Amino acid sequence: AQSVTQLDSHVSVSEGTPVLLRCNYSSSYSPSLFWYVQHPNKGLQLLLKYTSAATLVKGINGFEAEFKKSETSFHLTKPSAHMSDAAEYFCVVRGNAGKSTFGDGTTLTVKP
Amino acid sequence: KAGVTQTPRYLIKTRGQQVTLSCSPISGHRSVSWYQQTPGQGLQFLFEYFSETQRNKGNFPGRFSGRQFSNSRSEMNVSTLELGDSALYLCASSLDVTSVSSYNEQFFGPGTRLTVL
């Protein structure tokens, strides 16, 4: 069985300040982990993925995430938030059978 | 390369009717998955098709069904619509060529917004 917990349903930051979106996972084997972003009325766009290679993963638009097996975490970070980053973010765990489990999402608000 | 396309983008139906949604994956992708997204339940997995066979299935009633054609295009059907079926239905495709299917990221379409009145 696998599960994902996004620890914050809403995060609010000021433009130019760091972003931290937290994700913990549970899996009985080594999973693949992904972060997706969804802008209003749009589909999901892949930000980055972890598939058992480097534990620090760099994605698009300046985002990165670090896989920490001991903490079962895969937190998403960005050094400096931009207004265009305002969206909903989903952490996803994908198991060997190819089934994806999504977190409940974190809404990021960026204040000017 | 064209992305995942879904048709129609918007649908309005009444209770009791049935509906068919279509998804065309990225060229070369053989796996197609369907998800339901609602404000209350979030993103929930419906089913996945690979090479015309259903490979995974979520916890939805039998009113929800799907199929995949030889060109990897997929359709999902919802019969006897209920008010609670109002949602954004997302389709995702993946290349799925590695032996470890979890490695393959999914690419999502824009979704079909279904409203049941």
Side-chain angles (χ1 to χ4, degrees):
Chain A
Q2 61 191 32
S3 66
V4 176
T5 302
Q6 291 184 241
L7 299 170
D8 308 290
S9 57
H10 292 89
V11 170
S12 181
V13 301
S14 296
E15 190 174 22
T17 64
V19 175
L20 170 63
L21 305 183
R22 299 182 295 165
C23 172
N24 286 353
Y25 72 93
S26 172
S27 178
S28 53
Y29 36 73
S30 295
S32 292
L33 296 160
F34 305 83
W35 275 99
Y36 285 86
V37 61
Q38 185 178 33
H39 291 275
N41 300 313
K42 300 281 188 182
L44 279 76
Q45 180 184 19
L46 178 69
L47 281 176
L48 48 81
K49 70 175 182 178
Y50 166 77
T51 57
S52 79
T55 56
L56 182 62
V57 181
K58 293 189 184 299
I60 62 171
N61 300 336
F63 285 95
E64 63 181 41
E66 186 172 8
F67 174 74
K68 291 186 177 181
K69 187 175 181 179
S70 60
E71 299 176 11
T72 59
S73 69
F74 189 57
H75 301 335
L76 181 71
T77 60
K78 183 173 181 177
S80 175
H82 190 272
M83 295 297 290
S84 61
D85 294 329
E88 189 159 20
Y89 292 78
F90 293 93
C91 181
V92 182
V93 60
R94 191 161 162 87
N96 286 337
K99 188 174 176 180
S100 294
T101 300
F102 283 74
D104 290 336
T106 297
T107 300
L108 175 64
T109 300
V110 182
K111 298 175 290 187
Chain B
K1 204 178 225 183
V4 178
T5 58
Q6 292 187 245
T7 56
R9 292 293 311 279
Y10 301 91
L11 263 179
I12 298 176
K13 293 286 187 180
T14 56
R15 280 182 299 174
Q17 287 187 307
Q18 75 165 19
V19 67
T20 299
L21 312 182
S22 180
C23 171
S24 292
I26 292 172
S27 178
H29 285 197
R30 298 187 296 169
S31 167
V32 174
S33 298
W34 288 90
Y35 296 86
Q36 182 195 65
Q37 186 177 27
T38 60
Q41 300 298 318
L43 266 156
Q44 293 187 287
F45 172 74
L46 279 155
F47 29 64
E48 180 202 9
Y49 286 87
F50 178 79
S51 293
E52 302 179 65
T53 300
Q54 188 178 87
R55 186 163 67 174
N56 283 304
K57 189 177 187 308
N59 297 322
F60 277 80
R63 299 185 297 108
F64 293 82
S65 62
R67 60 177 174 169
Q68 186 180 34
F69 302 94
S70 58
N71 61 357
S72 292
R73 190 177 71 84
S74 177
E75 290 181 346
M76 68 162 280
N77 184 277
V78 188
S79 62
T80 320
L81 284 166
E82 300 176 0
L83 294 178
D85 297 332
S86 294
L88 180 67
Y89 289 88
L90 292 165
C91 166
S93 75
S94 65
L95 189 57
D96 212 23
V97 292
T98 74
S99 59
V100 183
S101 58
S102 64
Y103 285 9
N104 298 283
E105 65 264 39
Q106 295 177 300
F107 296 86
F108 284 80
T112 294
R113 174 75 63 186
L114 172 65
T115 302
V116 181
L117 302 175

